[in-house]
Each structure stands twice: as C-alpha cells, then as structure tokens.
Amino acid sequence: RTQDYPAGDLAGLLSHPASFLNTFAKINDPNEPNKGAFPFTLWPWQWELLDIWYTNNRVIVLKARQLGVSWLLAGFALWTFLTMPGSVILLISRREQEAMRLLAKVVYMYDHLPRNLKFPSHRGDSHSKTIFSSVVLGSMMMALPATPESGRSETATLVIPDEWAIQPDAGAMYGSYDATVGQTGKIIGASTAQGPGGFFYEMWEGAKAGTNGFIPVFLPWSLRPGRTVAWRDEKKREYDSQGMPELLGQEYPEDDIDAFRTSAALFFNE
C-alpha cells in the first residue's frame, strides 16, 4: 500500500522532473524479480539529461544499451502527465508491443506513488495496455506502433519515439507529429545506432550540425556505474567469440562515431 507524502514541499518537488523522480519514483528490474519495487535514485548524468529534456523542446539521444533510459523516458512522461493537466503524450515504438512495455513502466511508477499524488481512480480513469488517462486531470498517454497513421489526428504535448533508429516509418511519422506538437510541445527521441544511414542517422547528423533544431545528446557505455574498461574488454571477447565484433560499438559505443562506424558492416551486409 502506498502512503501519503507530507504536503509541505510537494510543489517544489514537482517543479522539476528530476526532483520528482528522485523523490517519488520506484522501478523494478526484470533480472532481479525478487527485489521488487525500489527507489529510482538518479545518477548525476540522469539529472543532467532530465534537465536537458525539461529545458529544450527537441532532443535526440544516441545511447548505449542498459543505461536506464527507458525508465527515464517513462518517468519524464509521467511527470508531464501529472503536472500539465490536459496533456497528450504519445509513446511510439517499432511495434505496439514495445510501446506498451514503455507505457507499462509509466503505470508501474504511477502505481507506487504516494496516494496524494494520484488522481481519483473512481472518476473514469483508464489503465489499459495502450492508453493511460485521467478525466480528472484531462491528461492522456497513448502507446502507438510506428506507422504513418498512428497519432496523426492527435495534438500532442510530448512525443517520445523510443528506439527511433529501428522505426520503419520514422520519417513519415515525424512529419505528422512534428506538426501536432507545434513550437511549445516536445519531441524526445532516443535510440541505439543502426548503421550510417536512415532517418535517425540523418536527424543525428543534422542535430550535430545545428540545422534541424534538435539538441544532440550522446550517452556512452561507461555511464552505468560499475562498468570499467575490463568490463568492456570482456564484452568485446563475447562479441568476437560469437562472430559479431561489429555489434560492440553499436550496442556499447565510446562515442557517436564509434556507434555508427562499427555498425556499418552490419548495415551494409544485410
């Protein structure tokens, strides 16, 4: 059972997504199911990334694997949902199933919030696998597959294209939701690399060049605490032994050049 949180400093803690998540959010780890829900204690770089999302309306994130970015995106979506009544948030992944998993993270964090941060559940709120909404707040979150038709008619406050590089219709979809968010809405796209080509690569290069309005953020493999040079060397031996050395840089890159260069062989051999 969740308890009430003292109301004294709620406004301050809700004013920024980092303070909200660091104080109230709980997450889980499928690799440690017996651990249950545990506090989402933010690492310093996660505070900084949340502040970039909070400050800017267009951000593209190129990332290594297993850095907790999906939980961070879900937390930012939940903070937007709760603090901006009437918001519409679109979570977009390659398939609806992947989008539903991201939405499930949102609902998991919501379910573990203190009671006085929840909207009344008897007022017609819905907790489906594809929609999370509140008639009390007037906010709605939708999990959508990456198809040109998805979300076309929605006027969005926040759009999160997750694993943007593997969305087959990313360009067509972007044209749709970029128009719906306007100047005040946010688009936060995140992905690992998938070769030196395609929509995500072009968006990343445009962001680096300062030509498309997006802020580029690169997250290397070493940001996760406990990862050392010895850890990455072991990963390299694993990928080499499996005959997939080109995947190391794609999954655990040192920098953005490493990410796209080392996935080039895979990209052109398919």
Side-chain angles (χ1 to χ4, degrees):
R1 291 174 58 86
T2 56
Q3 304 296 318
D4 286 337
Y5 187 86
D9 195 35
L10 273 181
L13 292 170
L14 290 171
S15 65
H16 194 282
S19 56
F20 164 70
L21 292 177
N22 201 60
T23 304
F24 300 115
K26 292 185 178 180
I27 60 176
N28 65 3
D29 185 352
N31 294 317
E32 299 184 66
N34 295 327
K35 192 174 180 179
F38 57 90
F40 194 4
T41 303
L42 299 178
W43 301 322
W45 68 264
Q46 292 177 324
W47 281 81
E48 294 177 20
L49 183 57
L50 284 164
D51 194 58
I52 291 171
W53 294 348
Y54 175 76
T55 306
N56 300 279
N57 286 345
R58 300 289 188 276
V59 183
I60 182 170
V61 179
L62 173 61
K63 63 185 181 71
R65 294 284 185 189
Q66 299 170 335
L67 294 179
V69 174
S70 291
W71 279 108
L72 214 60
L73 288 168
F76 188 79
L78 178 60
W79 175 81
T80 302
F81 182 95
L82 294 174
T83 63
M84 300 181 186
S87 57
V88 175
I89 301 155
L90 308 182
L91 309 177
I92 302 171
S93 291
R94 178 175 56 168
R95 293 185 292 262
E96 187 175 73
Q97 185 176 12
E98 283 97 339
M100 286 161 50
R101 282 199 286 266
L102 185 57
L103 181 61
K105 286 180 167 66
V106 176
V107 176
Y108 186 89
M109 283 190 283
Y110 169 79
D111 284 342
H112 289 85
L113 289 175
R115 287 181 303 190
N116 53 337
L117 286 181
K118 296 180 179 180
F119 47 83
S121 60
H122 64 279
R123 292 287 299 276
D125 310 302
S126 66
H127 290 66
S128 76
K129 292 183 178 180
T130 59
I131 297 176
F132 180 61
S133 65
S134 168
V135 296
V136 176
L137 296 174
S139 296
M140 177 175 66
M141 202 175 305
M142 302 173 65
L144 300 171
T147 62
E149 297 78 19
S150 293
R152 178 177 290 274
S153 61
E154 301 295 336
T155 300
T157 309
L158 170 64
V159 179
I160 297 178
D162 189 31
E163 287 301 339
W164 212 359
I166 61 174
Q167 294 185 11
D169 295 305
M173 284 204 73
Y174 175 75
S176 298
Y177 56 68
D178 180 57
T180 69
V181 298
Q183 295 299 312
T184 58
K186 292 180 182 288
I187 300 174
I188 300 172
S191 189
T192 52
Q194 286 288 312
F199 180 78
F200 179 77
Y201 174 78
E202 293 169 1
M203 289 294 288
W204 176 260
E205 291 297 308
K208 285 180 63 179
T211 58
N212 61 14
F214 275 75
I215 302 297
V217 177
F218 174 72
L219 304 177
W221 64 271
S222 54
L223 285 178
R224 187 180 182 95
R227 288 182 175 177
T228 63
V229 173
W231 177 90
R232 194 172 191 268
D233 287 344
E234 178 59 32
K235 280 290 180 186
K236 184 178 187 306
R237 285 190 287 272
E238 289 178 16
Y239 281 101
D240 287 347
S241 67
Q242 295 168 13
M244 300 183 296
E246 71 280 347
L247 287 181
L248 179 67
Q250 175 177 293
E251 304 294 288
Y252 303 104
E254 299 269 9
D255 53 39
D256 66 314
I257 297 174
D258 183 36
F260 290 113
R261 181 184 61 237
T262 53
S263 59
L266 180 67
F267 180 79
F268 287 115
N269 286 338
E270 286 185 337

